Amino acid sequence: MKRTFNLKALLLALLTVMAWSANAEVKVTIDATNFPDANFRNYLLSQDYGIDGTLAEDEINSLHFMDVADKDISDLKGIEFFTALVSLYCDNNKLTTLDVTKNTTLRDLFCEDNQLTVLDVSKNTALIWLECDGNRLTTLDVSKNTKLERLYCHNNSIKGADMVAFISSLPQNATEFRCLFCVVDISKDALMGNVCTKAQVAAAKAKGWIATAWNENYETHYEGNDNLSGISDAVFSSTKTAPVFTLSGQRLAAPRKGINIVGGKKIMVK
């Protein structure tokens, strides 16, 4: 018996398969491939949305806040799946890299006290608050973050031409509201790497930004420091009168790069 080829039926079947595929829910498995860091993975598995070992599309779309601070996490790979995040707290971990280029809805990013050497926030155009202090950054570009209002970047290693470029990247603020950026830490004997001169502070002010310094538990107004050795103003003044020695006890005419003993205290000059 000769069989007839029913093109209409074939097309209908094909369309049915395509419609089913389009409506099939995409799920992300919480495994070592997608989330290689065990501590990050275990955190996700302990949450209501991850208890079944997978992330459904509606769960991803409804997750706007994540706090993985103080979790001993070394790798946050997999954070790119959470494309609806508005606030991410990943501070006080062991991160050496952080890719948030897919998290374009972020308004708050707190990644301080890690080991980051690079931070790319060029895709995070909705960012309002960035806290990235206590890392190992030598450069920072926030030119794409036109909504930024608060920026904490003290305790990094931004100085010289890199500080000039960083301040040049600050978005222009044309409102009466002054944006704040905490650029150095004056709560310790030596600054933690960042050096921001008086001229650079003035350049930031011209763009509508007020420079501040971190002092233990609060911020204070900062006028800039023209002492490019990286020592705080107070310590720099003390070196003019207090005796300066090396660790081996050799007296110096002035502090040198490395650890110095100034007035009986260890001072790091970078």
Side-chain angles (χ1 to χ4, degrees):
M1 179 178 176
K2 186 178 180 180
R3 296 185 179 181
T4 60
F5 183 73
N6 191 330
L7 180 59
K8 185 176 181 180
L10 179 61
L11 289 174
L12 180 61
L14 181 60
L15 289 173
T16 301
V17 171
M18 291 176 63
W20 178 84
S21 299
N23 293 325
E25 185 177 24
V26 177
K27 290 191 174 184
V28 176
T29 304
I30 305 175
D31 56 15
T33 299
N34 293 323
F35 304 93
D37 190 282
N39 291 328
F40 184 30
R41 190 166 64 249
N42 290 335
Y43 167 83
L44 296 174
L45 292 170
S46 70
Q47 305 302 302
D48 290 339
Y49 53 79
I51 198 168
D52 62 350
T54 62
L55 297 169
E57 188 173 0
D58 62 333
E59 292 174 325
I60 291 174
N61 292 336
S62 62
L63 189 63
H64 304 304
F65 175 89
M66 182 180 291
D67 185 353
V68 290
D70 301 290
K71 301 294 183 186
D72 203 31
I73 296 173
S74 299
D75 189 350
L76 212 61
K77 184 182 183 301
I79 196 66
E80 64 270 15
F81 291 113
F82 299 95
T83 53
L85 279 181
V86 173
S87 298
L88 173 60
Y89 291 76
C90 56
D91 46 298
N92 292 292
N93 281 296
K94 298 178 179 178
L95 301 176
T96 56
T97 60
L98 178 60
D99 186 355
V100 288
T101 56
K102 297 293 192 297
N103 309 103
T104 56
T105 58
L106 276 179
R107 290 188 298 182
D108 308 308
L109 174 59
F110 295 84
C111 56
E112 70 273 21
D113 297 323
N114 279 285
Q115 301 169 29
L116 301 176
T117 56
V118 176
L119 181 61
D120 182 358
V121 288
S122 61
K123 305 298 183 183
N124 309 107
T125 56
L127 210 59
I128 296 175
W129 197 306
L130 175 62
E131 198 163 294
C132 57
D133 52 284
N135 280 285
R136 300 175 182 176
L137 302 177
T138 57
T139 61
L140 185 60
D141 185 345
V142 292
S143 58
K144 303 299 183 182
N145 312 112
T146 57
K147 297 181 180 179
L148 202 61
E149 296 177 359
R150 291 289 187 276
L151 174 56
Y152 291 81
C153 61
H154 53 288
N155 291 356
N156 279 287
S157 298
I158 308 173
K159 60 185 70 175
D162 293 321
M163 180 60 74
V164 172
F166 164 51
I167 290 179
S168 297
S169 78
L170 290 173
Q172 184 69 48
N173 172 32
T175 68
E176 294 181 0
F177 174 78
R178 289 288 182 175
C179 298
L180 299 178
F181 81 113
C182 190
V183 66
V184 298
D185 187 341
I186 62 172
S187 61
K188 298 181 180 180
D189 284 337
L191 299 179
M192 295 288 97
N194 285 359
V195 176
C196 190
T197 66
K198 294 179 180 179
Q200 291 162 354
V201 167
K205 185 177 180 180
K207 303 191 77 171
W209 287 78
I210 295 177
T212 65
W214 189 255
N215 189 5
E216 294 294 346
N217 297 313
Y218 64 93
E219 290 176 74
T220 184
H221 181 73
Y222 189 65
E223 296 182 354
N225 181 5
D226 288 337
N227 168 35
L228 301 183
S229 66
I231 311 176
S232 66
D233 287 320
V235 172
F236 180 66
S237 297
S238 72
T239 63
K240 297 178 180 178
T241 56
V244 182
F245 298 91
T246 64
L247 287 176
S248 62
Q250 177 188 359
R251 185 159 186 171
L252 302 173
R256 63 174 59 169
K257 187 175 181 179
I259 298 177
N260 299 262
I261 305 297
V262 181
K265 294 183 179 181
K266 288 184 179 180
I267 303 297
M268 171 64 75
V269 179
K270 297 187 177 181

